[in-house]
Each structure stands twice: as C-alpha cells, then as structure tokens.
Amino acid sequence: MDPLEAIKVTFFQECEEQLSELESGLLAMEQGETDSETVNAVFRAVHSIKGGAGAFSLEPLVRFAHVFETTLDDVRAGKLAPDNNVVKVMLRAADVLADHVRAARDGGVVEEARSQELASALEALNGEAPLAPIASEDFDDMPGLEFTPLTVSDDDGIGDDFGFTPLAAGIIELEPEGPALRRWTVHLRPKNALYAKANETGLLLRELKRLGDIQVSIDPADLPGLAELEPEHAYLSWTIVLTTDRSQSDIQEVFEFVDGDCDLTITADDVPSSLPAMGEASIDEPFDVMALIQQAQADVQAAPAAAIMAEILAPAAPAPVFAASAPSIPVPVAATAAAAGVAPDAAHGAAAQQATIRVDLDRVDRLIDLVGELVINQAMLAQRVTESGVPRSSNIAMGLDDLEHLTREIQDSVMAIRAQPVKSVFQRMPRLVREVAAMTGKQVRLVTEGEGTEVDKTVIERLTDPITHMIRNAIDHGLERPEVRVAAGKGPEGTVRLSAAHRSGRIVIEVSDDGKGIDRPRVRQIAIDKGLIEVDSNLSDEDVDNLIFMPGFSTASSVSDISGRGVGMDVVKRSIQGLGGRIAITSRPGQGSTFTLSLPLTLAVLDGMVVSVCDHTLVAPLTAIIESLQPKAQDVRAIGPDAYVIAIRDTYTPLIDVGAVLGYRTTPLDPTKGVALLVEGEGGARAALMVDAIQGQRQVVIKSLEANYRQVEGIAAATILGDGRVALILDVDNVVAARRREKARSDAKLAAAG
Amino acid sequence: MTTSSSNSALRELISFQIGAQEFCVDIMSVREIRGWTPATPLPRTPVFVRGVINLRGAVLPIVDLGSRLGLQMTEPTERHVIIVTRIEEQLVGLLVDAVCDIITVRDDQIQSTPDVASDLVQQFVKGILSMEGRMISLIYLERVLPDREAEAA
C-alpha cells in the first residue's frame, strides 16, 4: 500500500471514532448536557474530520463538514441555543456526515438532495449566511486553474486542524474587558517563513473576523514584475481595520503562531478613521481572492500570472509548525503565556483520554491461539503427572497447580483483549431509530443501558443484525402512532429500551418497548390462517407469544418497508441459536413487549457435553440440548421400515443414531443401552440423538475444521481435549437434517426392543 | 528453488519409504517430521484420510499416503512417521513408513514419469529419479488432498 493510502486508511479509521464521538456528544446534548466540554468535543469531532478531509481533497465531505462546523461554532460561541430542535437537526446532519465519510471511503455518492437539505437546515439555524463561501466555489468560474481546498482557500485546510480555536472563548472569560467597541488597525506583513511553516494569511484574517467587524485592504506595492518574481517569497502586506470589543491581547492571540514570522503592529485607533488608502484592491470580507488575483494580473500584465499568484498566496507545505517565539512587538505577555499554557493542556487532555493502541487483529488472534495451546498443554502435563502417581502434596503437583492458575489468568486476560464493549453496536441504533421513526411517523425515544458491557469481538460482529431487526420490529409493530398513544393515556413519544448486561457467564441483551404489546388473538388467528397451529389448539399466553418465532409467520398485514423484508423473527431466532444463544419474549397487553436474548461471551469457547459414540469422543453443544434420558424399551417404537421414534412424555420424537449417521457403525445401537439427548434443531424441530454414554460437561476451545481441512458433514468444528486428542463437535442441525435426507437409503436399523 | 527456471538448479528432496517403494517430496514444503500419534477419524471422508491429530493446538488432517497412492493401507505403529507438509497454504500430515534421506539433485536429473498403465501413478508421480541404483518417485503434493469439487458433488 502506498504511504498516502495508508494514511488515508488511518484517517477513515479515525473518522469512525470521531463520528461516534460526535454522535455520543450530540446525544448527551439532547439529554441537556450542553456544557462547553461536550459542545467542544462535538465541535472538535467535526473539525477534525473536516481538516483531514481537506488534506485528502474530499470535496463534498469538506463542504458539508464546513457548514456543520459553522453551526456548531455558533453553539459554542453561545449565539445559538442548543435546544431540542437544533440538536435533532444536528443528529441528522451527523448521519449525513457519516454517509459522506463512507462515500468518500468506499467511493459512493451521497444523495445530493439530502445533503443539501441538511446543509440548508444547518444554515437556517445559523440565522445568517455562512461566514465565508467555500473556496472551491470561489474558483469554480476561474478557467484553467485547479485549486485544492487546502491551498488558497480562506476557510479551511490543515493549518487550523489542532482544535485550538475553542480556547479563544475561554481566555476571554478570564480577562473581562469593557464591552465598549474600539477600533484597531492591524498591519500585517508576512515574512517568507510564515508561508514556509504552512501558515496562511487567509486563516488569520478569518480568525480576526471572529473578533468583530473587519475591513481588509491589501498592499501589492512590493510585488515585482513577473520576471523577478520569486515564487516562494512573500510580497504582500495587509492592513486590517477591526472594530471589536475585545482586548488587544485577544487580537494578539490570533497571531500567536506566526509570531516572529511576520511584521505585526496593532494600534488602537479611537478616532473613527476611513480605510487607509494602501492599495486599490481594498475588499471586504469574504476575503476575495478572485479580485486580488485579477488585481495582480492587471499589475503584472502577464498571462500565466494567475497560476504564479496562486503559488505566492499558498506555498504548499505539509504541516504547520507552531513555534512560539518571542513576541516581536510589545504585548501583554501574560495573555500569550496563558494562551500558550492552556492550549497544550487542552490538547493533552484530549490525548490522555485515549490511552489505547491499535493492534492488528491477526496478532491478537495468534496470541489467543497460542494461549489456547498453552492451556491444553498444561492440562496434558497435569494429567501425565497424575498418571505417574506423584502425590498431590508434592512440589511438582503444587507447582502445576500454580501453573494452572497462571494459564487460566493469561487466558482470561487475552480473551479480554479481544473483548469489546457492545457500544460499537449500540451506537448504530440511534440512527436506525430515527430513520424507522421517520418512515413510520412515530415518535420514538431510544434509551440504551450497559453500553460498556464487553463481549468477544466474534460475538459483537454478529449482534448487529438481530438487534437491528428487533428494534425495527419494536418500532414498527410494538409502538403505536402518537395519536393512538395519547388516546391510550400514554405520552405521544414511545420509548425503546436497549440494554446489555452480564448474567452468569453470558451476555443478556434486552430490547423492550412501551407499546401495545403482542396482540394475542390476532397472532393466534394468523397462526391458524397460515396453518401453523390447529384451530382448537389450547395455547398458553406464552405459547402464543412464541408463535412469532415460527418460520413463515409475519404479523405485518402488508409487507412493510421496514420489518417485513421477507425475514421474520424466526430468522432472528435462528441466527441467535447459531451463536449458541437463546431468545425469549415477554409481553403485557397495553404495556409493551420485551425481547431477551442471551449469548455466550465468546465464540472461541463452547459449553459442551462430552459423549462417546463407538469409542469416539464427541462434543455436543450444550445450548442445543434440552434434556438427556435413558430410553426404556417400551418407549421406542418403530415407524415405517427403518425409522424409529421415542415417546417422551407422550410426544413421539424421531430417534437418531449418531453413530450410524456419522458412519461409525453399521449395526445399530440398542437404544436401551445408550443415552438419548433431546435436542432442538433448526426451526424448533426436536429430535433425540442416541449416543453410547455421557462423559461429562466441559468448556472446550473451538478449532475450525474447515480452515484446517474442509467442512465435514455432521461436524461443526473440532476441539482438543485434556488428553491431547482431537474431539469433534457435533453439528446438531446437520445431523438431524442428514438423517431426514437419507431416510430412504439409510441402512441403519435400530433393534426395536420390545 | 529460487532458480528453478534453470535446468541445472539444485534442489533438496526428502525421501521416504512406503512398503518397498521409495518416494520423495521437495524439502521446502516440509514443515516438520514427527512420530505417529493416533488420529481422530473424521466421518464421511475418503478412506485415505486417517483423521485429524493435535499438532500443538492446531488441527492437522492426516493422509495415509500409501493408501492414497493405491498401495496397501498402512497399519500405523509408533515407528511410523508423519511428514507435516504445507500444501497450498494448508498443513497436511502424510503418514509414511519411514524417512530415508535428504538428497540433492539437479532438475535435469528428474526423469519424466514412465508411461505405465496406472492412473494413480500418472496422477501422483511428478517424475522419477535414480539414486545409487534406487528408484525414487517425486510426489505431486498438490494432488494428494481429495478434490474439493469432487468432494462437494
């Protein structure tokens, strides 16, 4: 990867972080936390994205971020109160900003209308036109000249990408000045060094504009003829007349980072004065580079002057250098010192928050593999020592015990590295809620809890889809329209609660709404209509609720855009079960429903039941097993030529001989001599798996068989047991289905006893 | 191996025995050689796949090379050897009777496989070479594993 691409990748990674920062900041503001720290954090996020995007010339992103930033700046300056409406617009703007980032990354295009609509909404909040037109627009009508946004542009780029600007407000608070307006004349003559350090006059002027009204005039008198023109020299000087209530130190502060790199005089000008007649190109803000260039063109009388001018105005330098040299003119030193002192502190504070490092996932996975090997090795060693007859009180045995503790601790710590808070999944949900709410015309409030709950990365990745689906369902089917809610005596705004917590070694995620709850008579009727249940079947409330997990069940009368994309809750249930989890629903009419799903904390280990089949050791996932029993001869019945069922509490369940299905034996097992595991497979179908014996329960480390060999039918994965042997993990669904598929040609004939 | 384009390039081979015959593979594809440990059989796999073993925490499939080449099935004992090879990014253990030697040959010493009737020979023997009166067959490692497509069908 070429270096620029690598930097770009990092930039987009950081964008993701900034976006999540932005979103959580805005949500905090929605909750009323509008202190300057939160607002600044939000501002900083947008600002950083804009700055980086500018460096990569990501035009649409820069343009949108700029509008957004301008609005945020007003909030920061206290000009705009961050009430609910404002924050709502900003949240939507954050969504669009995220789209822009993704479009820039993946090469897509953001819907122009949507982006434009939000941009206008933001500008409307400003109550005024954007401070400065976007650079690219300035130059659009200039033929034959290509500008990148970070060069001549007067309003953005990499120069101001350090988040120092927020401090201006803080310092003003420290030094209250009389509110009286005063007029200042600022003479600015940059030296070559100023441009060499990637500072820009345009940015300085923009900073000055923040302080008050400015009138800017440029003095091109020193500009030589084109022949003598040295492209990297500074020839221009500016005179700025500033009307402000700020103090001289505030003005001085604007030039803090160019101290020593320019000749600067700031003089108080109490007598109202007209514009100094320094040059003819006297212009008002917005700083009109076009006019300037035309002026220069006229002066120099040479055709390609514009291009050269562009170079003079913007010497492209990679990074700004903040060399705080001694002030060249007498200014209140305290102010400079205070500014210099505060700024690094603030920068530090932001940096200290993220004491993290980026590590390639492969390295972590490798470490986890190695630790897995260590654990197995330790177990083998312990077994050998026990077998050798060393007494338990011996030093060797005690040393081994210590080793075991250490290895367990290492394993836990390593797994913790890969553990991530569910925040990354939860964070995508507010946006989803806004979109679904807008589509359904419902008012929804999302409350999240337990975002810090950690689960293994492998689980996190597969949580998004089920949660997304359940939240869509909760809004689409659970919550009522505002008028219906009001009629039912509830507030117009519905609440969807998303929470995560650790409970007995599993993660439990709940999605609950305060809507109407499950309409049981209707669910029942639909199930009857679709032939899922008998008309006269006697079902408890709980049974009815669980009908929505049946394949082919969908309560939406029309397939709506939101929930009914051909998948129902049965798909959710399946994918949860695929992760070794379970899902349940509770519902109270008129008060809402709660979906509870519980998942293992990691997919790298599995709770299994170790069983033997024909001298082979197999592991059955514990989550699939409902119960185990020893069949009695009179419970096993032949049905058809070669199929058998077992009666479990008067329900006949197909009996499957695992040894026969896997081809370990040709003579079927006598059911009375084995153990039956009652399992629930795909779609809730139950079956009884016959095995020879149960050895015990154990947590096992999952090793992919597919990666090491290839997929084997009936086997989900492999694991390594304490004795160092490889054991295979049963794919329960597949075994059940395989039996069904091969029913016709199966030669497995159970000895029907009795 | 780096200069394999040249006919006289030297390459090192590991030779081993299955029954009375001698075979060899390129030393660059061999990761390690270890003694036989009982394998866990895999259901529904060809007879020459003996199962999987635990190779320091990794799951390693074992191919009975004798059986794969159409010779007799191996009755493995502790004296049998597993040659751990890398075949197209995948580690595979080859069960053989014994490892004999490391031999250095030039590419032009490798003769093409004689046109004998056996399909299996044509499929798995890349070439043969003569060493001090012994005939050693160079194994086509890429073809040792069962074909994925054929397996799926």
Side-chain angles (χ1 to χ4, degrees):
Chain A
M1 197 187 293
D2 85 88
L4 187 68
E5 274 306 304
I7 297 170
K8 215 165 172 176
V9 167
T10 312
F11 163 65
F12 284 123
Q13 280 172 355
E14 282 171 2
C15 272
E16 288 297 328
E17 284 165 21
Q18 303 286 5
L19 286 171
S20 68
E21 194 97 324
L22 169 63
E23 174 128 15
S24 49
L26 285 174
L27 288 173
M29 284 167 72
E30 200 182 22
Q31 303 298 314
E33 285 176 42
T34 51
D35 53 290
S36 67
E37 205 172 301
T38 312
V39 177
N40 275 337
V42 168
F43 179 85
R44 227 175 5 244
V46 178
H47 187 76
S48 303
I49 291 174
K50 189 184 87 164
F56 293 110
S57 310
L58 305 170
E59 260 309 318
L61 176 55
V62 172
R63 211 172 307 169
F64 188 81
H66 173 71
V67 179
F68 198 173
E69 185 191 17
T70 311
T71 311
L72 280 168
D73 198 30
D74 280 357
V75 175
R76 210 178 49 166
K79 281 193 244 169
L80 180 65
D83 59 23
N84 247 348
N85 270 340
V86 172
V87 176
K88 280 224 163 73
V89 171
M90 286 188 175
L91 276 167
R92 284 175 54 215
D95 294 344
V96 175
L97 187 67
D99 287 345
H100 271 293
V101 168
R102 264 149 226 160
R105 183 184 58 200
D106 307 332
V109 177
V110 178
E111 217 178 300
E112 185 58 34
R114 192 156 156 258
S115 172
Q116 200 52 52
E117 178 210 327
L118 254 294
S120 320
L122 285 171
E123 277 169 16
L125 290 178
N126 283 350
E128 55 179 279
L131 280 181
I134 305 298
S136 58
E137 288 165 6
D138 268 356
F139 295 107
D140 275 351
D141 47 354
M142 209 155 132
L145 205 51
E146 273 201 3
F147 286 96
T148 54
L150 66 138
T151 51
V152 189
S153 96
D154 62 339
D155 75 301
D156 72 274
I158 50 175
D160 56 350
D161 189 26
F162 283 77
F164 285 114
T165 31
L167 290 156
I171 289 158
I172 293 152
E173 282 159 21
L174 287 176
E175 293 182 28
E177 265 284 301
L181 286 179
R182 289 185 74 186
R183 180 169 289 201
W184 302 85
T185 305
V186 181
H187 288 281
L188 170 69
R189 189 184 163 78
K191 298 177 184 170
N192 297 345
L194 183 140
Y195 296 118
K197 291 176 184 173
N199 286 303
E200 268 190 56
T201 329
L203 295 174
L204 296 171
L205 295 177
R206 191 158 62 106
E207 280 302 308
L208 275 183
K209 162 98 168 116
R210 289 175 193 273
L211 299 180
D213 265 357
I214 60 170
Q215 289 176 302
V216 185
S217 54
I218 189 166
D219 176 16
D222 291 345
L223 208 58
L226 188 59
E228 298 98 65
L229 190 127
E230 188 67 47
E232 297 201 350
H233 272 213
Y235 294 106
L236 302 168
S237 63
W238 282 265
T239 303
I240 306 110
V241 179
L242 170 67
T243 314
T244 180
D245 56 355
R246 307 291 178 88
S247 66
Q248 178 167 357
S249 56
D250 288 340
I251 303 169
Q252 187 65 40
E253 199 192 306
V254 170
F255 299 95
E256 187 187 346
F257 297 120
V258 295
D259 238 348
D261 295 332
C262 62
D263 293 330
L264 180 70
T265 54
I266 302 172
T267 46
D269 188 6
D270 286 331
V271 189
S273 67
S274 57
L275 269 180
M278 294 287 291
E280 289 168 12
S282 161
I283 43 168
D284 289 338
E285 194 73 2
F287 180 55
D288 192 347
V289 182
M290 265 305 283
L292 178 65
I293 290 171
Q294 279 161 359
Q295 163 73 24
Q297 271 175 322
D299 284 358
V300 179
Q301 299 270 321
I308 292 164
M309 279 304 295
E311 265 189 317
I312 300 168
L313 288 167
V321 178
F322 290 100
S325 52
S328 61
I329 56 157
V331 289
V333 178
T336 319
V342 172
D345 275 355
H348 242 178
Q353 276 174 4
Q354 300 187 332
T356 56
I357 55 164
R358 273 175 215 286
V359 181
D360 213 20
L361 197 60
D362 286 349
R363 293 191 191 184
V364 178
D365 288 348
R366 172 85 188 118
L367 188 61
I368 286 174
D369 278 356
L370 282 172
V371 172
E373 288 166 31
L374 182 68
V375 170
I376 290 161
N377 235 298
Q378 181 272 328
M380 282 166 62
L381 196 57
Q383 200 164 343
R384 299 269 156 82
V385 168
T386 317
E387 282 166 11
S388 70
V390 178
R392 280 209 62 79
S393 56
S394 73
N395 283 344
I396 293 178
M398 277 155 65
L400 265 175
D401 282 350
D402 289 346
L403 182 65
E404 184 177 344
H405 278 136
L406 280 174
T407 41
R408 296 281 163 204
E409 221 158 283
I410 292 175
Q411 192 178 29
D412 287 351
S413 320
V414 169
M415 294 307 277
I417 293 179
R418 216 168 50 166
Q420 287 185 326
V422 288
K423 194 175 177 202
S424 59
V425 176
F426 279 21
Q427 249 166 1
R428 304 186 203 172
M429 298 308 150
R431 170 171 192 179
L432 173 83
V433 168
R434 284 194 293 278
E435 285 176 356
V436 178
M439 252 185 266
T440 53
K442 294 174 183 173
Q443 291 179 25
V444 189
R445 203 173 116 84
L446 179 72
V447 180
T448 54
E449 277 167 23
E451 293 186 321
T453 312
E454 289 191 332
V455 256
D456 192 75
K457 194 184 165 352
T458 46
V459 179
I460 289 257
E461 284 164 356
R462 295 164 75 174
L463 273 179
T464 313
D465 285 350
I467 293 183
T468 305
H469 203 85
M470 288 193 302
I471 287 187
R472 274 190 183 140
N473 252 304
I475 299 173
D476 198 24
H477 301 314
L479 293 181
E480 313 92 328
R481 309 192 138 275
E483 61 272 13
V484 181
R485 287 185 66 89
V486 173
K490 301 184 197 175
E493 191 179 54
T495 304
V496 173
R497 189 176 295 273
L498 175 63
S499 73
H502 280 158
R503 209 173 292 159
S504 59
R506 293 170 80 80
I507 182 172
V508 176
I509 290 174
E510 285 191 353
V511 176
S512 57
D513 62 71
D514 63 348
K516 56 183 181 281
I518 287 183
D519 185 351
R520 293 200 177 109
R522 196 164 144 244
V523 165
R524 203 190 145 88
Q525 192 53 50
I526 290 168
I528 291 170
D529 291 349
K530 300 208 167 166
L532 298 173
I533 54 168
E534 294 303 317
V535 183
D536 54 356
S537 47
N538 186 13
L539 298 172
S540 67
D541 285 353
E542 199 184 324
D543 289 341
V544 175
D545 290 350
N546 278 307
L547 284 176
I548 63 166
F549 292 121
M550 298 271 283
F553 185 94
S554 177
T555 45
S557 40
S558 66
V559 176
S560 70
D561 199 18
I562 303 136
S563 333
R565 273 175 225 239
V567 292
M569 289 307 289
D570 62 312
V571 176
V572 174
K573 186 175 187 181
R574 275 255 295 289
S575 69
I576 296 294
Q577 279 178 334
L579 294 174
R582 294 199 173 280
I583 186 166
I585 179 170
T586 53
S587 178
R588 288 163 74 188
Q591 293 182 34
S593 330
T594 302
F595 286 93
T596 308
L597 60 96
S598 91
L599 288 168
L601 289 179
T602 173
L603 298 183
V605 296
L606 171 122
D607 283 315
M609 186 172 281
V610 183
V611 299
S612 22
V613 177
C614 313
D615 300 331
H616 296 294
T617 304
L618 292 171
V619 179
L622 210 54
T623 47
I625 300 173
I626 299 165
E627 62 175 293
S628 56
L629 57 137
Q630 212 139 21
K632 293 190 195 74
Q634 66 268 26
D635 290 340
V636 180
R637 296 266 185 274
I639 179 165
D642 60 353
Y644 293 84
V645 292
I646 179 170
I648 299 171
R649 287 181 294 278
D650 293 338
T651 311
Y652 288 100
T653 310
L655 194 58
I656 295 167
D657 186 344
V658 175
V661 170
L662 295 184
Y664 287 156
R665 73 172 120 226
T666 45
T667 4
L669 174 74
D670 178 352
T672 54
K673 297 214 169 88
V675 180
L677 306 176
L678 184 61
V679 296
E680 191 176 72
E682 225 169 283
R686 290 188 175 191
L689 302 183
M690 282 305 303
V691 299
D692 293 24
I694 291 176
Q695 293 181 12
Q697 278 183 26
R698 188 173 311 173
Q699 198 172 59
V700 296
V701 179
I702 298 173
K703 303 272 176 187
S704 163
L705 203 54
E706 216 172 339
N708 292 301
Y709 174 60
R710 62 203 48 188
Q711 206 173 353
V712 178
E713 223 176 285
I715 302 299
T719 186
I720 295 165
L721 296 177
D723 61 0
R725 293 283 301 266
V726 176
L728 303 175
I729 301 173
L730 269 182
D731 183 343
V732 169
D733 278 354
N734 191 288
V735 168
V736 172
R739 185 68 181 81
R740 209 177 294 146
R741 275 199 303 275
E742 291 182 13
K743 207 179 282 174
R745 56 188 162 106
S746 169
D747 58 353
K749 287 186 168 57
L750 289 176
Chain B
M1 280 313 285
T2 46
T3 53
S4 57
S5 58
S6 160
N7 263 352
S8 60
L10 290 175
R11 60 157 91 192
E12 283 188 304
L13 307 169
I14 283 188
S15 72
F16 49 86
Q17 245 181 335
I18 301 171
Q21 298 188 29
E22 210 171 334
F23 300 88
C24 63
V25 292
D26 198 300
I27 202 166
M28 297 308 287
S29 53
V30 175
R31 288 289 166 273
E32 65 177 281
I33 295 170
R34 52 179 295 142
W36 164 257
T37 43
T40 303
L42 293 171
R44 299 156 184 274
T45 44
V47 65
F48 56 84
V49 177
R50 296 302 288 247
V52 286
I53 64 162
N54 165 22
L55 179 72
R56 291 186 304 282
V59 175
L60 181 76
I62 303 296
V63 170
D64 182 341
L65 197 56
S67 161
R68 180 56 164 157
L69 298 179
L71 311 171
Q72 77 286 7
M73 278 279 287
T74 312
E75 287 299 332
T77 65
E78 277 182 19
R79 308 189 51 159
H80 281 79
V81 173
I82 292 170
I83 302 176
V84 182
T85 55
R86 176 171 289 272
I87 303 177
E88 292 170 347
E89 299 305 304
Q90 195 177 342
L91 286 183
V92 177
L94 304 178
L95 172 63
V96 302
D97 289 355
V99 169
C100 306
D101 209 354
I102 295 176
I103 49 180
T104 308
V105 297
R106 291 192 313 275
D107 274 356
D108 54 12
Q109 280 179 286
I110 301 173
Q111 308 164 22
S112 56
T113 314
D115 194 8
V116 292
S118 165
D119 280 348
L120 283 171
V121 169
Q122 294 296 335
Q123 190 181 349
F124 296 114
V125 178
K126 217 178 200 173
I128 55 170
L129 50 112
S130 161
M131 272 275 157
E132 298 151 10
R134 290 138 52 193
M135 187 193 80
I136 307 174
S137 311
L138 180 62
I139 296 288
Y140 223 130
L141 269 186
E142 291 74 14
R143 297 186 182 165
V144 163
L145 272 186
D147 203 25
R148 274 167 202 268
E149 292 74 32
E151 180 94 323

